[in-house]
Amino acid sequence: MTDPRAGMWRNRFKLILLFLLFFAPAVLAWLLVLGGWRPAGASHHGMLIQPPVPVAELPLTSGTQAPVDVRTFDGRWSMLLITAGPCEASCEYALDRLMRVHIALNKDADRVRLLLVLPQAVPTPPGLPDNLAVLQLPPAMAAELAGGAASAEIQPAVHLVDPYGFRMMQYPSPLDAQGLLKDLRRLLRLSNEEIERLRRAEASHG
């Protein structure tokens, strides 16, 4: 007769193996990054945010002033273009470069989204693509994340949010679009697309 306890332990062992297969590489990678380890020859073009900050800590609102459900960040890489004032020349230039970066991702483009973040009470510029989401932050916080106070010529910054909802890298002005593209391609290679898909599905079902 088969020992039922043996079957139970086999099932538990399979679950442990599945957990290690899907989650251990990501956990190990974050521990190494937070510990300051870098493989020989590795480089990144943005500035690492250490430790990574949950995007849930940002009081993001939509155009209707409703709080943004941070679960919408689950399962997808997000490029946040944050400006301390109206989206004028430098912001429009950075937005154009980010759109080109998004297109250059080709088949991986649907794993990344672009969002424009403006200070509250600043009007949305006309002529934006229909699929570009526009969010808002309190002016002081928008200025801080953009890298300084508002001036005659606002200098925006790009913040990269990972599929787990953490701000983990920042790109100041002038934007190094090619460097951002290289970083994104490397991150997308290392990231588990299946886990991203599962997180998106879980978020959509609330």
Side-chain angles (χ1 to χ4, degrees), residues 10-44:
R10 278 197 299 271
N11 289 334
R12 288 182 178 178
F13 183 67
K14 289 177 182 177
L15 286 175
I16 293 172
L17 283 179
L18 285 173
F19 176 84
L20 292 175
L21 176 65
F22 285 104
F23 294 102
V27 173
L28 178 60
W30 271 119
L31 289 175
L32 291 173
V33 168
L34 294 177
W37 178 86
R38 296 290 183 276
S43 62
H44 50 78

Side-chain angles (χ1 to χ4, degrees), residues 14-186:
K14 289 177 182 177
L15 286 175
I16 293 172
L17 283 179
L18 285 173
F19 176 84
L20 292 175
L21 176 65
F22 285 104
F23 294 102
V27 173
L28 178 60
W30 271 119
L31 289 175
L32 291 173
V33 168
L34 294 177
W37 178 86
R38 296 290 183 276
S43 62
H44 50 78
H45 299 83
M47 299 185 301
L48 284 173
I49 298 173
Q50 294 185 314
V53 181
V55 74
E57 294 186 4
L58 297 181
L60 289 164
T61 57
S62 65
T64 61
Q65 300 303 308
V68 172
D69 186 351
V70 295
R71 289 177 300 179
T72 61
F73 287 91
D74 283 352
R76 186 171 276 113
W77 293 87
S78 299
M79 298 183 291
L80 305 184
L81 176 60
I82 304 176
T83 182
C87 189
E88 297 175 336
S90 59
C91 170
E92 291 172 354
Y93 174 80
L95 191 57
D96 176 74
R97 303 300 293 173
L98 289 173
M99 289 177 179
R100 294 173 186 269
V101 166
H102 195 241
I103 293 171
L105 292 173
N106 297 319
K107 65 181 180 63
D108 286 326
D110 64 342
R111 298 171 62 190
V112 182
R113 64 175 185 164
L114 170 61
L115 303 100
L116 175 62
V117 182
L118 301 171
Q120 291 169 353
V122 169
T124 300
L128 294 179
D130 293 336
N131 61 348
L132 177 65
V134 179
L135 305 179
Q136 296 179 329
L137 278 173
M141 181 167 289
E144 177 184 350
L145 295 179
S151 61
E153 179 61 28
I154 304 302
Q155 297 297 319
V158 176
H159 289 243
L160 194 60
V161 179
D162 71 12
Y164 297 90
F166 285 86
R167 285 191 301 119
M168 44 80 68
M169 198 169 287
Q170 177 179 350
Y171 298 81
S173 291
L175 176 63
D176 178 7
Q178 286 300 317
L180 170 58
L181 178 59
K182 291 178 182 178
D183 285 348
L184 264 176
R185 283 174 172 164
R186 182 182 300 117

